[in-house]
Amino acid sequence: MSMSGRHGPSERQVFSQTINEHLAGKTFLVSNYFSLADLVAFSNVYAFMELLSSQKRFNWSNFSRWFDLIQHTIPSEALSKAGLKVIEIDLDAPAPPKKQSAADTKKGGDGAGSDKTKSAKDNGQAKKEPAKKEQKQKQQPAKEELNVVPSLIDLRVGHIIKAEKHPDADALYVEDIEVGEPEPRRVVSGLVRFIPIEKMFNRDVVLVCNLKPAAMRGVKSYAMVLCATSSDGNTVEFVEPPKGSKPGDRVYFEGFEGQEPMDVLKPKLKIFETIQPGLFTNESREAGWFNADKKFHKLLVAGNVCTTATVAGGSLK
């Protein structure tokens, strides 16, 4: 399963359809883990996925799910160096188009006479429309620009109470995680290759709690476990809250204390995607965020820093 970069859109469509059919019951293309085949195929279909409609992405759910998993498996710095960015993939069914009401049909008319009447009205009102548009533009208040800062992300301490293999995906775990709410949250994580299941139990972790819930191979995930990835991509570890932390404790960035996160990060605003490239561990394995001036804001719980076991200088996602 391969293709040359010289192939055009029609060949890429056939190639993408082939991937969709091939991935029925599979997570990756040729094995139970991410391989060179996935990387090559991803690079070949990236431009095609950018142009794919929401309906087509939904129809090709295997292809879209695989693409989303691969783009989040590749380290963000590697994507950036290749001139690529994360494409927002929504596997929920798109809303059906609104049906035209009887009143709208009646207004549209159904004969040449209606067209002539409409044309005459349009000519008579043509001069009024620019003035009306100007008036509407004056009346509309200016949109307030959103200041994208890491405090918009709802980060909390979580405690994994249950973890098992995903029933339909070899590379995914399904976890139940206490996060200080009446019920634990169900979370799906692509960590099978990196963390053995016996090390998934009874662990304190940091959760991103206000991402839009997403279905992964039929199981809906209601949060994301924050992990650190080494620069070579071979090691992935949990970002660990400091000792004494409790499920539900607020996790925040140094310098952004007391600021409230958004209820839900709207995918169109790409808030997490804007902040994520600055999320790293420093040489002391402390987790944090580098702002545009390269100042490091440590990730804290009650004034104490979150860390990783071994990953220094790794990206967080």
Side-chain angles (χ1 to χ4, degrees), residues 132-143:
K132 284 182 180 179
K133 285 182 181 178
E134 286 178 14
Q135 190 176 0
K136 282 184 180 179
Q137 286 173 355
K138 287 178 182 178
Q139 289 174 353
Q140 287 178 353
K143 287 186 179 179

Side-chain angles (χ1 to χ4, degrees), residues 142-156:
K143 287 186 179 179
E144 210 174 300
E145 279 195 26
L146 179 66
N147 183 25
V148 179
V149 290
S151 55
L152 295 174
I153 302 171
D154 184 2
L155 296 167
R156 300 184 226 165

Side-chain angles (χ1 to χ4, degrees), residues 155-160 191 195 203-208 224-229 236-242 245 251-253 279-282 285-288 296 298-301 304-311 314-317:
L155 296 167
R156 300 184 226 165
V157 174
H159 183 76
I160 302 176
L191 297 172
I195 302 176
R203 296 289 300 267
D204 288 334
V205 294
V206 174
L207 279 188
V208 181
M224 183 183 80
V225 180
L226 193 64
C227 292
T229 303
V236 176
E237 297 175 343
F238 291 125
V239 174
E240 299 177 359
S245 301
V251 184
Y252 58 91
F253 290 92
L279 298 177
F280 281 92
T281 56
N282 60 18
R285 297 178 289 103
E286 297 172 323
F296 190 66
K298 294 180 182 179
L299 190 61
L300 307 173
V301 179
N304 299 307
V305 69
C306 300
T307 58
T308 61
T310 66
V311 175
S315 61
L316 307 183
K317 58 184 176 181

Side-chain angles (χ1 to χ4, degrees), residues 180-226:
E181 297 171 339
E183 298 292 332
R185 290 203 184 196
R186 176 62 53 89
V187 179
V188 181
S189 307
L191 297 172
V192 171
R193 180 186 169 195
F194 303 101
I195 302 176
I197 194 163
E198 61 269 17
K199 292 189 177 181
M200 292 289 294
F201 296 101
N202 198 32
R203 296 289 300 267
D204 288 334
V205 294
V206 174
L207 279 188
V208 181
C209 291
N210 59 343
L211 294 171
K212 183 181 177 182
M216 299 182 72
R217 296 302 295 271
V219 178
K220 206 150 201 175
S221 181
Y222 293 90
M224 183 183 80
V225 180
L226 193 64

